[in-house]
Amino acid sequence: MDPAHRRGGRKPRRTVTERLEAGEITVYEATELTREAVLNSLTASAKSRHELAQSLARRGFPESAALTVLDRFEEVGLIDDAGYADTLVRTRHAERGLARRAIGQELRRRGIDDEVAAEALAQVDDADEQESAARLAEKLIARSCGQAREARIRKAASALARKGYSPGLAFAAVKNALSAEGEETNDLDIADG
């Protein structure tokens, strides 16, 4: 008896590729199953072409069917990496306060072309990034009220760095937030950060 049956489980379902190779389904049926899978995936949330291709490969869909479906969906605008990248940049910056560097890394992980990513990232300029860092620093410093000054500075600057802000910008934003609270910051040198 096979181990899956001994444990009371079922045999794993055969992939679309396995069913196609066994002659159980036609190329047309494999393509239709691939199309349904992509539509279901896009219904859940927007994705890049690269992410969809990876998902289909992991789930055992035939590469030829995946390419056919992805090409068609791209042609009719259901897959739009440029639009997806624009939306991702706007939401990650506005809602999560991420810096361009962190967003750029996420775009690369999601398989967005470097040129498309650069165009999308152009929406966020230096002034936007400084403003966002300043808002985040103010929140972080306000939350740490009552803690030792050095710990407040280190924790806030580290949190900003994790969001992709450069050390210089992070430290300057933290210094300004402390200053806005009325704390003396003349002894702080940006090079210390």
Side-chain angles (χ1 to χ4, degrees), residues 17 36 58 82 111 165 188:
T17 299
E36 287 174 25
R58 268 193 318 273
Y165 294 96
L188 297 177

Side-chain angles (χ1 to χ4, degrees), residues 118-190:
E119 286 179 29
L121 288 167
Q123 306 174 63
V124 179
D125 62 18
D126 289 343
D128 295 330
E129 203 157 87
Q130 288 170 351
E131 183 180 319
S132 181
R135 276 195 315 271
L136 285 167
E138 287 171 11
K139 287 179 188 176
L140 293 164
I141 289 298
R143 280 189 212 146
S144 65
C145 195
Q147 295 179 9
R149 180 175 184 235
E150 292 74 25
R152 294 176 80 193
I153 294 168
R154 186 182 65 255
K155 287 178 183 179
S158 294
L160 286 167
R162 285 190 301 276
K163 289 192 175 277
Y165 294 96
S166 69
L169 177 56
F171 191 73
V174 170
K175 182 178 176 180
N176 290 339
L178 284 169
S179 192
E181 268 192 354
E183 189 157 332
E184 182 59 49
T185 59
N186 288 339
D187 63 321
L188 297 177
D189 182 14
I190 290 183

Side-chain angles (χ1 to χ4, degrees), residues 18-152:
E18 292 168 340
R19 291 171 58 202
L20 179 64
E21 289 171 352
E24 295 172 14
I25 60 174
T26 66
V27 171
Y28 174 79
E29 290 168 322
T31 303
E32 282 303 300
L33 290 169
T34 305
R35 184 183 66 76
E36 287 174 25
V38 172
L39 281 173
N40 287 337
S41 188
L42 288 173
T43 299
S45 67
K47 293 176 181 56
S48 70
R49 180 184 172 115
H50 176 77
E51 290 174 302
L52 291 165
Q54 283 186 320
S55 174
L56 291 171
R58 268 193 318 273
R59 293 169 50 201
F61 286 90
E63 186 178 350
S64 61
L67 288 174
T68 299
V69 170
L70 295 175
D71 286 347
R72 179 65 181 146
F73 278 31
E74 201 167 35
E75 186 179 299
V76 298
L78 291 174
I79 299 173
D80 176 12
D81 281 359
Y84 177 63
D86 284 345
T87 300
L88 199 89
V89 168
R90 277 194 311 276
T91 59
R92 294 304 191 261
H93 181 70
E95 295 171 10
R96 295 188 186 171
L98 295 182
R100 288 177 295 209
R101 186 174 70 191
I103 300 167
Q105 290 171 345
E106 183 173 352
L107 290 172
R108 276 189 293 288
R109 274 194 317 273
R110 292 176 180 269
I112 301 295
D113 176 76
D114 287 343
E115 190 174 310
V116 171
E119 286 179 29
L121 288 167
Q123 306 174 63
V124 179
D125 62 18
D126 289 343
D128 295 330
E129 203 157 87
Q130 288 170 351
E131 183 180 319
S132 181
R135 276 195 315 271
L136 285 167
E138 287 171 11
K139 287 179 188 176
L140 293 164
I141 289 298
R143 280 189 212 146
S144 65
C145 195
Q147 295 179 9
R149 180 175 184 235
E150 292 74 25
R152 294 176 80 193

